[in-house]
Amino acid sequence: MSPLNLIKMLSIKLFNLFRAGTAILLCGLATAPLADPLPVWKSAIISGSQHLSFFSMLKTKPPGHEAYLKRLMRYDGLMHRPGQGPQKLLSYVGLKPLIGYDSNINNGLPGDEFNIGKFTFRTDEEDQAKAGMTVGARATGTLLYSVAPAHVLKFSAYGSYEFAPEHSLSKHAVGASACLGSHVASYTWIDSCAGVRIAEKKNASVEEVYASLGGSQAFATGWGHHEAKWAFKRSFRDDYPKSYINLGLLSAVPDVGALYTGVSWGEEIAGKHTSRWGATASITRPVFKRKTTLSISYGNFGGGSHFGEPREDNQYNVNLKSQVHKNVAVSIGYSWNNSNVAFYDENSVLFGVDIKSISF
């Protein structure tokens, strides 16, 4: 057996072992015993959704909920009196360090050679994907105003810079957005946003202006509290405009945690290799008294070609994130890409340390 075939065989066995391990981990996470009770309102809070938390607090009214509910109502514009002018609800500036592992810091090609017919071509070493640890920082800023009863206006901006010492490569990104949030009925919200983002690293840059319209509806069933979400986004870039649609369901389930399932659709752009559709699922719950999230996702990409051959990629991701300290969360995961053009097949380990921002 040739070394190449041996490597391929080992890769397949490791991949199957990883899939089996992921299934066992997912079942174990969903059924792990809880050190403390997890009522539905706690599951709503750990979901991270302000809307679902608001709904669950109103429905259950746990002891001491008044102060928390009042803050949620204030940030939703429900404390704004008719006739009053804009009122600042929140101002925030934060700075956080970034530590991670990037499997393709230079947006390079995943393989070192490819075939066209009977000919084999090698890619330049500089054009091949470079992987390594990255360090950097991210700055964020937010302004939140109540502009009318049940209407809030949020301005957000961010900037980040990361450096890979091993390869002397860097990447940076900046962005800003303005969003109007409207509480249009008892448990119905509409959000409209406009923004811009710029991201750049070696061999790749993105400049995008976008607008989006979305909403959510909270409701209850016999097994928990839920928030159905939808969003339509239109992005405008120098090379092409594109539309996206996202649908999702976030559920707070007692003694289980916060569950999310979602699907997405992206307009296919002829001649461009972009996302076409995908799906994601996650569970968030305490594990050994630490907030832990396990997520899995799938994405289908197409529209482009490889030397005249239509290209289609199927990308899979598994990620586990745990709050190891009140100020530190650690994530580890695995990503693999299956392409009909074998040159683009790749596997990547994902690693990151999320440190709580220092606010000013």
Side-chain angles (χ1 to χ4, degrees), residues 122-134:
R122 294 194 62 83
T123 57
D124 293 335
E125 186 176 350
E126 282 296 311
D127 295 329
Q128 295 176 23
K130 301 292 191 300
M133 295 294 297
T134 60

Side-chain angles (χ1 to χ4, degrees), residues 51-116:
H51 296 164
L52 186 57
S53 298
F54 171 81
F55 174 81
S56 194
M57 283 287 177
L58 279 179
K59 287 293 184 180
T60 59
K61 294 183 172 61
H65 75 282
E66 292 84 359
Y68 189 73
L69 183 59
K70 184 177 180 180
R71 185 176 66 175
L72 290 174
M73 294 176 65
R74 183 169 177 264
Y75 287 165
D76 218 20
L78 297 179
M79 308 293 282
H80 193 109
R81 296 179 180 177
Q84 289 183 330
Q87 301 170 8
K88 186 171 74 171
L89 303 177
L90 173 70
S91 59
Y92 171 85
V93 176
L95 180 67
K96 67 188 304 182
L98 298 174
I99 304 172
Y101 181 86
D102 192 328
S103 60
N104 197 346
I105 185 68
N106 62 328
N107 198 51
L109 299 171
D112 56 3
E113 63 180 35
F114 58 92
N115 297 317
I116 302 177

Side-chain angles (χ1 to χ4, degrees), residues 44-244:
I45 290 175
I46 66 174
S47 75
S49 168
Q50 179 177 313
H51 296 164
L52 186 57
S53 298
F54 171 81
F55 174 81
S56 194
M57 283 287 177
L58 279 179
K59 287 293 184 180
T60 59
K61 294 183 172 61
H65 75 282
E66 292 84 359
Y68 189 73
L69 183 59
K70 184 177 180 180
R71 185 176 66 175
L72 290 174
M73 294 176 65
R74 183 169 177 264
Y75 287 165
D76 218 20
L78 297 179
M79 308 293 282
H80 193 109
R81 296 179 180 177
Q84 289 183 330
Q87 301 170 8
K88 186 171 74 171
L89 303 177
L90 173 70
S91 59
Y92 171 85
V93 176
L95 180 67
K96 67 188 304 182
L98 298 174
I99 304 172
Y101 181 86
D102 192 328
S103 60
N104 197 346
I105 185 68
N106 62 328
N107 198 51
L109 299 171
D112 56 3
E113 63 180 35
F114 58 92
N115 297 317
I116 302 177
K118 298 180 179 180
F119 299 96
T120 299
F121 296 86
R122 294 194 62 83
T123 57
D124 293 335
E125 186 176 350
E126 282 296 311
D127 295 329
Q128 295 176 23
K130 301 292 191 300
M133 295 294 297
T134 60
V135 293
R138 178 183 176 94
T140 57
T142 299
L143 284 172
L144 182 66
Y145 286 89
S146 175
V147 294
H151 297 279
V152 294
L153 186 60
K154 183 178 181 180
F155 299 97
S156 301
Y158 70 88
S160 66
Y161 177 85
E162 295 174 78
F163 181 71
E166 182 181 354
H167 304 291
S168 296
L169 294 170
S170 65
K171 59 180 180 179
H172 65 267
V174 295
S177 64
C179 296
L180 178 65
S182 302
H183 194 152
V184 296
S186 296
Y187 307 122
T188 306
W189 293 264
I190 297 292
D191 297 294
S192 52
C193 296
V196 60
R197 72 180 184 97
I198 300 172
E200 187 170 343
K201 60 182 178 179
K202 187 175 181 181
N203 299 323
S205 63
V206 175
E207 295 184 14
E208 177 188 53
V209 176
Y210 64 88
S212 66
L213 179 66
S216 64
Q217 175 70 52
F219 60 98
T221 66
W223 56 280
H225 295 164
H226 316 276
E227 181 185 4
K229 301 182 177 185
W230 63 271
F232 172 80
K233 175 183 173 182
R234 181 72 172 173
S235 71
F236 304 90
R237 299 168 37 152
D238 288 341
D239 44 358
Y240 59 85
K242 182 169 178 170
S243 297
Y244 304 83

Side-chain angles (χ1 to χ4, degrees), residues 277-328:
W277 67 279
T280 184
S282 69
I283 176 174
T284 300
R285 61 176 284 155
V287 175
F288 300 113
K289 295 187 176 182
R290 304 180 191 279
K291 180 181 176 180
T292 302
T293 299
L294 176 65
S295 60
I296 56 176
S297 63
Y298 163 79
N300 176 270
F301 299 78
S305 62
H306 177 81
F307 291 94
E309 180 182 355
R311 176 186 166 192
E312 180 178 10
D313 289 13
N314 295 291
Q315 189 175 90
Y316 307 85
N317 293 277
V318 178
N319 192 74
L320 180 67
K321 182 177 182 179
S322 182
Q323 195 78 31
V324 297
H325 183 270
K326 65 178 181 179
N327 295 322
V328 181

